[in-house]
Amino acid sequence: QGIADANGTLTEGMNYGTTTFTADRTWTLPASPDVGDVVHAKAPISLGSQNLIILKGAALHRIDTAESVVIESDAGAVSLTYAAANTWILF
């Protein structure tokens, strides 16, 4: 799914920025994923000197023990798998 210059909720599969950011943006992981779900998040070609924050989707979720991941590079990307209860892993 394409996400514009806005905060958003990620879905299973590919998620990508469609335009340059004018402020830091937060994209939130799904709150009720199934084990094995994969989410890809790709920043836009230009972050406009902003950051893209990938945030956990539920209170107990963690992303490799962290609550968020920050993409600071233009066109940067992360892929995450929901590996077990409350556990997202980066790959």
Side-chain angles (χ1 to χ4, degrees):
Q1 80 169 331
I3 303 174
D5 181 18
N7 296 326
T9 300
L10 299 169
T11 59
E12 185 177 1
M14 177 57 76
N15 301 267
Y16 57 93
T18 60
T19 189
T20 302
F21 290 171
T22 57
D24 288 349
R25 298 298 178 202
T26 300
W27 293 355
T28 304
L29 286 163
S32 299
D34 294 318
V35 171
D37 283 357
V38 176
V39 173
H40 305 284
K42 182 159 180 68
I45 297 300
S46 174
L47 284 171
S49 300
Q50 310 303 324
N51 291 322
L52 172 55
I53 302 152
I54 307 301
L55 183 65
K56 64 182 185 167
L60 295 177
H61 287 185
R62 293 295 179 268
I63 306 166
D64 282 339
T65 73
E67 295 194 8
S68 64
V69 173
V70 178
I71 298 175
E72 299 175 338
S73 300
D74 293 342
V78 296
S79 294
L80 305 101
T81 298
Y82 193 66
N86 300 317
T87 305
W88 287 94
I89 58 172
L90 292 165
F91 70 96

